[in-house]
Amino acid sequence: MSELVSKAEELDAADELAGLRERFVLDSGPGHAAGAAGVYLDGNSLGALPVTVPDRVADVVRRQWGELRIRSWEESGWWTAPERIGDRIAPLVGAAAGQIVVGDSTSVNVFKALVGAVRLAGDGRDEILVDATTFPTDGYIAESAARMTGRTLRPVAPAEVPGALSGRTAAVLLNHVDYRTGRLHDLPALTAAVHEAGAYAVWDLCHSAGALPVGLDEHGVDLAVGCTYKYLNGGPGAPAYLYVRREVQDRFDSPLPGWNSHAEPFGMRPAYAPAPGALRGRVGTPDILSMLALEAALEVWDGVSVEAVRAKSLALTDFFLECVAAYAAPGRVECLTPVAHAERGSQVALRCDDAEQVMRRLIERGVVGDFRAPDVLRFGFTPLYVGFADVERAARVLGEVLALADGRR
């Protein structure tokens, strides 16, 4: 045990991102009692609160809304917030400016992107492929999009996509990181295979954006969506985003045209004419309060390299697996997350028969991860605020909880 504690201290001392922890409200950070021992490993579900957000939201409510009122659409920049904040997200997912618009939920943006991709493909292609292991909502949306567009939906494991592609394929909807296991799928190779078949690629980045390099522009991704309340720390219910590659923007036909995406939004024309560029991905009036909270949250990324975040993420998850192996009885838990760096996101998923009870006891002892039915413990590692001492303590408490549970049997 002492060796792992010492190793954690050494790793924390050498961590170039350690200072970023002070940008968040944590159990042992600003706004909390010194010495509090909580460990938050659920940033893959809801990121921690950046310290700048409360005052910014207070200003939006009291001054921008309370005093300026309607004038804030122009004077406070409310009207341009969706594309302005999109440009803040762009470098975090490897995109140039002018290709991301923020607004609506992830589910709504999946619907826009997938139907838009089918329309880009044209009438000669009658099949949609969807990640068979996808987050359920993506599957629901894909099924509805297939019915609406008259296409056949075929669930396929990501690794099997290249062999399933054909001249019938219109679009492929894939997750960059599997939400249950933390497996990182090969976005460059799969996107290339989709394009070779003449189809369009739609990627869900919910579990990768803010945790690792994505390279949307570099790898020619056509359309992508993602949430902002996980590794981007935008807050509960924060708006999602839609990426539309510049080369397809003039042909992108959104299934949800709204007054906010009209070329003349205040012209009140009876006929719809889409705005230029990614703006045609907008729909209705933006949710200003949560959108501007997100904008404030994104300031924590100022001066931060996504590559450095990825390096720390891999080091954190490597160290966690090392500690779990030392503290948990052999065979007590099974790691579902790939060991290979090229196949790992920023979470570790462990399988154990009594996972729900184990996670409940972990949370009672201040180690917060989450449980996914029927038997998965998920631990998310947000490199901006998780340290190596956190990792060692989480694994040590896990080992103690498992031993106590075994003693009760």
Side-chain angles (χ1 to χ4, degrees), residues 106 110 129-139 156 158 161 172-180 183-187 190 202-208 225:
T106 305
V110 168
L129 302 185
V130 63
D131 183 345
T133 60
T134 190
F135 187 76
T137 290
D138 285 20
V156 179
V161 164
V172 182
L173 173 61
L174 293 164
N175 288 266
H176 197 190
V177 174
D178 185 288
Y179 80 101
R180 291 185 75 251
R183 176 179 290 276
L184 173 64
H185 297 302
D186 192 341
L187 181 148
L190 289 171
V202 180
W203 284 92
D204 182 329
L205 310 178
C206 285
H207 287 268
S208 59
V225 303

Side-chain angles (χ1 to χ4, degrees), residues 27 34 59 73 119 148 205 222 260 322 370 385 400:
D27 294 345
D59 177 71
W73 285 104
R119 290 176 173 177
M148 193 187 86
L205 310 178
D222 303 300
N260 240 249
E322 178 184 353
D370 66 18
Y385 55 76
E400 294 167 0

Side-chain angles (χ1 to χ4, degrees), residues 100-322:
I100 294 179
V101 63
V102 174
D104 306 310
S105 67
T106 305
S107 300
V108 171
N109 282 317
V110 168
F111 181 74
K112 288 187 237 175
L114 189 54
V115 174
V118 171
R119 290 176 173 177
L120 285 168
D123 294 335
R125 293 172 175 263
D126 63 359
E127 186 174 73
I128 298 172
L129 302 185
V130 63
D131 183 345
T133 60
T134 190
F135 187 76
T137 290
D138 285 20
Y140 306 154
I141 294 293
E143 195 277 332
S144 179
R147 282 192 288 113
M148 193 187 86
T149 60
R151 266 65 177 182
T152 299
L153 182 68
R154 181 151 63 113
V156 179
E160 298 171 359
V161 164
L165 292 162
S166 72
R168 295 182 55 197
T169 311
V172 182
L173 173 61
L174 293 164
N175 288 266
H176 197 190
V177 174
D178 185 288
Y179 80 101
R180 291 185 75 251
T181 67
R183 176 179 290 276
L184 173 64
H185 297 302
D186 192 341
L187 181 148
L190 289 171
T191 300
V194 171
H195 288 167
E196 187 175 353
Y200 289 82
V202 180
W203 284 92
D204 182 329
L205 310 178
C206 285
H207 287 268
S208 59
L212 53 93
V214 177
L216 292 179
D217 286 355
E218 177 185 357
H219 302 303
V221 170
D222 303 300
L223 298 137
V225 303
C227 66
T228 61
Y229 49 78
K230 300 184 191 296
Y231 296 109
L232 297 181
N233 311 294
Y241 57 90
L242 170 67
Y243 165 88
V244 183
R245 186 170 178 80
R246 197 177 310 280
E247 287 77 6
V248 302
Q249 287 178 359
D250 62 346
R251 296 184 291 120
F252 177 66
D253 182 7
S254 173
L256 294 174
W259 78 280
N260 240 249
S261 63
H262 198 285
E264 296 180 76
F266 293 100
M268 303 304 164
R269 310 290 186 194
Y272 179 73
L279 294 181
R280 62 183 60 194
R282 294 174 63 154
V283 183
T285 305
D287 187 339
I288 290 299
L289 298 184
S290 61
M291 192 167 288
L292 296 188
L294 166 63
E295 184 172 35
L298 290 171
E299 292 175 3
V300 302
W301 287 93
D302 289 349
V304 178
S305 158
V306 177
E307 288 72 23
V309 167
R310 175 59 169 167
K312 182 177 176 182
S313 165
L314 292 171
L316 288 168
T317 48
D318 279 344
F319 187 53
F320 182 68
L321 291 172
E322 178 184 353

